């Protein structure tokens, strides 16, 4: 049962432009949401999170938006940099039960 | 390096053999998690420890799988009678007990298992 879905397996953007990664979830009991970034041969690295009581969280170039009514989460990266090229995983959880999406591969072209 | 470490990084085994993986979490992290990741998918939760107590197990964790954290520090994941479907990346993560502000888990580099 895929409770967290990332429907775009890949995304390509130009350096300096905005990258928008999307994520949908089905379980209304999730109370926190995270984005992880993964480079080849490394484990996922935490990027940013948001609790269900908020609708936006910003950290530098990264902003996460949460739309609970639509059960939709998005990550905005602006401006995008070539070093942002990686696989991005959306995750959602309740207590210690965390579910991950399948990931979106972001390529930022110079 | 004070991050999460996993050993070995790669393991090739024949079907039917037993394998054991080790995870060393970040010092003083009370919580430890095991995940499995297959190609094209995100990590799937397997089990969770708080100190030495195994508090949750996924239905993915069949009776061929066993995990321990005997002293509340490192953990081992053993797979008995491996099957080709066990081929995956096995990820370990840890977090401190009070990590609820961001819910972040710190991941290790993973152990890639190939069952031939």
């Amino acid at each position: 049962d895929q409770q967290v879905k990332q429907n775009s397996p890949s995304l390509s953007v130009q350096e300096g432009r905005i990258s928008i990664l999307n994520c949908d979830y089905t379980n209304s009991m999730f109370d926190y949401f995270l984005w992880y970034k993964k480079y080849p041969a490394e484990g996922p690295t935490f990027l940013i999170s948001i609790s269900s009581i908020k609708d936006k969280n910003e950290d530098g170039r990264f902003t996460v938006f949460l739309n609970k009514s639509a059960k939709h989460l998005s990550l905005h990266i602006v401006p995008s940099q070539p070093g942002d090229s990686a696989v991005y995983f959306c995750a959602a959880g309740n207590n210690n039960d965390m579910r991950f999406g399948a990931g979106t591969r972001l390529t930022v072209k110079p | 390096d004070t991050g999460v470490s996993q050993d070995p990084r790669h393991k090739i085994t024949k079907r039917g053999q037993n394998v054991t993986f080790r995870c060393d979490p970040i010092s003083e992290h009370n919580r430890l998690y095991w995940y499995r990741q297959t190609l094209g998918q995100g990590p799937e939760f397997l089990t969770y420890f708080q100190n030495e107590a195994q508090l949750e197990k996924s239905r993915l964790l069949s009776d061929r799988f066993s995990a321990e954290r005997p002293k509340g520090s490192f953990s081992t994941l053993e797979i008995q009678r491996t099957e080709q479907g066990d081929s995956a990346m096995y990820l370990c993560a840890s977090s401190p007990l009070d990590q609820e502000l961001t819910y972040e888990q710190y991941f290790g580099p993973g152990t890639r298992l190939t069952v031939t």
Side-chain angles (χ1 to χ4, degrees):
Chain A
D1 60 341
Q2 267 205 303
Q3 297 188 32
V4 179
K5 293 183 181 178
Q6 293 177 256
N7 292 319
S8 298
S10 63
L11 174 69
S12 181
V13 299
Q14 206 67 36
E15 180 179 8
R17 307 295 291 266
I18 185 170
S19 295
I20 300 176
L21 297 103
N22 293 303
C23 177
D24 296 295
Y25 63 95
T26 57
N27 188 343
S28 58
M29 298 301 292
F30 288 140
D31 58 11
Y32 60 88
F33 305 87
L34 306 91
W35 285 94
Y36 280 85
K37 175 178 173 180
K38 187 180 184 305
Y39 294 117
E42 295 182 12
T45 302
F46 171 77
L47 201 54
I48 192 168
S49 66
I50 188 168
S51 78
S52 59
I53 62 172
K54 294 186 174 182
D55 56 16
K56 178 182 174 181
N57 188 26
E58 191 172 351
D59 183 3
R61 298 185 296 115
F62 303 92
T63 303
V64 56
F65 294 93
L66 175 62
N67 182 334
K68 283 187 294 182
S69 61
K71 294 190 176 67
H72 181 80
L73 188 69
S74 64
L75 174 69
H76 293 209
I77 306 173
V78 57
S80 302
Q81 299 174 353
D84 295 330
S85 297
V87 177
Y88 288 78
F89 291 102
C90 166
N94 180 14
N95 294 321
N96 291 295
D97 181 9
M98 191 155 73
R99 306 294 177 102
F100 285 79
T104 296
R105 180 176 299 279
L106 173 66
T107 303
V108 180
K109 297 180 178 179
Chain B
D1 189 330
T2 56
V4 178
S5 62
Q6 293 187 246
D7 184 70
R9 294 291 303 274
H10 303 274
K11 178 70 176 179
I12 301 174
T13 191
K14 292 186 177 179
R15 189 177 55 185
Q17 298 295 305
N18 299 344
V19 294
T20 300
F21 310 141
R22 177 179 170 126
C23 170
D24 286 88
I26 293 172
S27 300
E28 299 170 358
H29 275 193
N30 308 89
R31 294 174 171 170
L32 187 146
Y33 309 80
W34 284 99
Y35 292 85
R36 181 176 71 184
Q37 184 179 12
T38 53
L39 197 62
Q41 300 298 318
E44 296 174 290
F45 170 78
L46 291 178
T47 190
Y48 154 65
F49 289 85
Q50 183 164 305
N51 299 314
E52 66 275 10
Q54 188 173 19
L55 297 186
E56 284 187 46
K57 290 170 62 173
S58 164
R59 59 182 169 78
L60 294 175
L61 211 68
S62 76
D63 55 6
R64 295 185 298 106
F65 288 70
S66 62
E68 294 183 344
R69 195 182 183 197
K71 297 181 180 178
S73 56
F74 73 92
S75 175
T76 58
L77 177 68
E78 180 182 16
I79 310 174
Q80 295 182 327
R81 305 181 304 280
T82 52
E83 302 172 356
Q84 286 186 321
D86 297 331
S87 296
M89 175 74 82
Y90 289 85
L91 292 163
C92 176
S94 69
S95 68
L97 196 58
D98 58 353
Q99 188 72 359
E100 294 188 354
L101 193 59
T102 65
Y103 311 100
E104 177 183 358
Q105 295 178 15
Y106 299 78
F107 281 84
T111 294
R112 181 168 294 285
L113 173 66
T114 302
V115 182
T116 61

